[in-house]
Amino acid sequence: MRDGMRLLATVLALVAGLSLSACGKDPAPRPPLVLAAASTQEAMTEAAEAWAAQGHLKPTLSFAGSGALARQIATGAPADLFVSADSRWMDWVEGNVSLRHGTRDIVATNTLVLIAPKDSDAAFPEGGDWAKALDGGRLAIADPVAVPAGRYGKASLISIGAWDEVKDHVAQTADVRAALALVSRGDAPLGIVYGSDAIADEGVKVVGRFPDESHAPITYPIAIPDRSTATDAEGFRKFLLSPEGQSIFEKYGFGPPPLSGEPHEAGDAASGDEEPEA
C-alpha cells in the first residue's frame, strides 16, 4: 500500500508540474502522461524521444508493475495513456475507468525466459531438478498475483511440473525489473523475466525459454482513459503502433502485435473491485 501511495504521489506531482503553465487564459498544450509496464522502459523511452524529435511535446513516462499502475488509474491518477503487460489488468481498468472508444489495441508481444548471472554455468533444469539448479539460492520472480510477469511465470512452472518444487524458494519482487536486478547482481542464481528484459541487461544471460503453450499469450494492451485531456495522447498512441514505433519495440526484443487483434481468454476479464487472480 505504501508503494502504491508513493507511486500515486509521484504521478500527481508530475502532472502538477506539467500543469503550472496552464494557469493563464490560454493554457499551453501539455505532454501526455504515460503509465507503462516496467518491462517497456527502454522501448518506451526511445519511442518518446523519437516522437519528440518530430516536433511534438515529449511524453512524460512513469514505469511500474501493471497492477500498481492499474490501481493508480482507478484511484484517480490522471494517465493519458496506459500500457499494460497483460489483458487482465487492462480489463480491470476498463471495468473501473472508462476507456476512450476505439483506442484499445495491442502494441507488442513478448516471450518468457529463464535467466542466470552472465558468468554462471547454470542451465535450464530440463530434468526437473530445480533444487539442484538453485543450489540453495532463490528463484527471482515478480509477484505472481499482481504482476503479469509473475503470473506468466507461475503458470509456466505449474505447466512443466516445477511449481511445487520451487514455491518455497522464490524471491518475490514488486515488478519484473526488480527480479532482473536480483539476478544481474548475483543475489539470485535464476530468475524468470521477459525476453526483452534479458536483452536490456548485460549482466544476465538466457539459459532457456519457457514453451509458449505453458502460459497465456504475453500481450501488451494500450488504451487512452476517457478522462484524458492531453491532445497528443492519440497521436503518440498511433505512433507506437506505426512501423516506426514497432521497429523500436522490435529493437528491444518485443514481438509484433497478433495479426488477428487482441486475444482474449474466456473468464480472464475482471471488472469492478475484482482484481485479476493468479
Coordinates of all heavy atoms in Angstrom, one line a residue, residues 10-11 36 52 75 98 107 111 144 180 183 186 195 213 220 253 266-267 271:
T10 N 3.9 10.5 -6.8 CA 4.8 10.8 -7.8 C 4.1 11.2 -9.1 O 4.5 12.2 -9.7 CB 5.8 9.6 -8.1 OG1 6.5 9.3 -6.9 CG2 6.8 10.0 -9.2
V11 N 3.1 10.4 -9.5 CA 2.4 10.7 -10.7 C 1.7 12.1 -10.6 O 1.7 12.9 -11.5 CB 1.4 9.6 -11.0 CG1 0.4 10.0 -12.1 CG2 2.1 8.3 -11.4
A36 N 3.3 3.1 -18.0 CA 3.6 1.9 -18.8 C 4.3 0.8 -17.9 O 5.0 1.1 -17.0 CB 4.6 2.3 -19.9
A52 N 9.3 13.1 -29.8 CA 9.6 14.5 -29.6 C 10.5 15.0 -30.7 O 10.4 16.2 -31.1 CB 10.4 14.6 -28.2
T75 N -7.8 4.9 -9.0 CA -8.0 5.8 -7.8 C -7.7 7.2 -8.2 O -7.5 8.0 -7.3 CB -7.1 5.3 -6.7 OG1 -5.7 5.2 -7.1 CG2 -7.6 3.9 -6.1
S98 N -13.6 4.4 -17.6 CA -14.0 4.3 -19.0 C -12.8 4.6 -19.9 O -12.0 5.5 -19.6 CB -15.1 5.4 -19.3 OG -16.3 5.1 -18.7
V107 N 0.0 -3.4 -28.6 CA 1.2 -2.7 -29.1 C 2.4 -3.6 -29.3 O 3.3 -3.3 -30.1 CB 1.5 -1.4 -28.3 CG1 2.1 -1.9 -26.9 CG2 2.5 -0.5 -29.0
T111 N 8.1 -12.9 -24.9 CA 8.4 -14.3 -24.6 C 8.8 -14.3 -23.1 O 9.1 -13.3 -22.5 CB 9.5 -14.9 -25.4 OG1 10.7 -14.1 -25.3 CG2 9.1 -14.9 -26.9
P144 N 3.5 -13.1 -8.3 CA 2.6 -13.9 -9.2 C 1.1 -13.7 -9.1 O 0.3 -14.3 -9.8 CB 3.0 -15.4 -8.7 CG 3.4 -15.2 -7.3 CD 4.1 -13.9 -7.2
L180 N 14.8 -9.0 -12.4 CA 16.0 -8.9 -13.3 C 17.2 -8.4 -12.6 O 18.3 -9.0 -12.7 CB 15.7 -8.0 -14.5 CG 16.8 -7.7 -15.5 CD1 17.1 -9.0 -16.3 CD2 16.4 -6.6 -16.4
V183 N 19.0 -11.0 -10.2 CA 19.9 -12.0 -11.0 C 21.1 -11.3 -11.5 O 22.2 -11.8 -11.4 CB 19.1 -12.6 -12.1 CG1 20.0 -13.6 -12.9 CG2 17.9 -13.4 -11.6
G186 N 23.7 -10.9 -9.0 CA 24.2 -12.2 -8.4 C 23.5 -12.6 -7.1 O 23.9 -13.5 -6.4
G195 N 11.7 -12.0 -22.4 CA 12.8 -12.0 -23.3 C 13.4 -10.6 -23.5 O 14.6 -10.4 -23.6
E213 N 3.2 -22.5 -25.0 CA 1.9 -23.2 -24.6 C 1.8 -23.3 -23.1 O 0.8 -23.7 -22.5 CB 1.7 -24.5 -25.3 CG 2.8 -25.5 -25.0 CD 4.0 -25.5 -25.9 OE1 4.2 -24.4 -26.6 OE2 4.8 -26.5 -26.0
Y220 N 0.7 -6.8 -24.8 CA 0.8 -5.5 -24.2 C -0.4 -4.6 -24.7 O -0.2 -3.9 -25.7 CB 2.1 -4.8 -24.5 CG 3.3 -5.5 -23.7 CD1 3.8 -6.7 -24.0 CD2 3.8 -4.8 -22.6 CE1 4.8 -7.3 -23.3 CE2 4.9 -5.4 -21.9 CZ 5.3 -6.6 -22.3 OH 6.4 -7.2 -21.5
G253 N 13.6 -6.3 -28.3 CA 13.2 -7.7 -28.1 C 11.8 -8.1 -28.0 O 11.4 -9.2 -27.7
A266 N -11.3 -16.6 -22.3 CA -12.6 -16.7 -21.6 C -12.4 -16.7 -20.1 O -11.5 -17.4 -19.6 CB -13.3 -18.0 -22.0
G267 N -13.1 -15.9 -19.4 CA -13.0 -15.8 -18.0 C -11.9 -15.0 -17.4 O -11.7 -14.9 -16.2
S271 N -13.7 -7.1 -13.5 CA -14.4 -5.7 -13.5 C -14.7 -5.3 -12.1 O -14.5 -6.1 -11.2 CB -15.7 -5.8 -14.4 OG -16.5 -6.7 -13.8

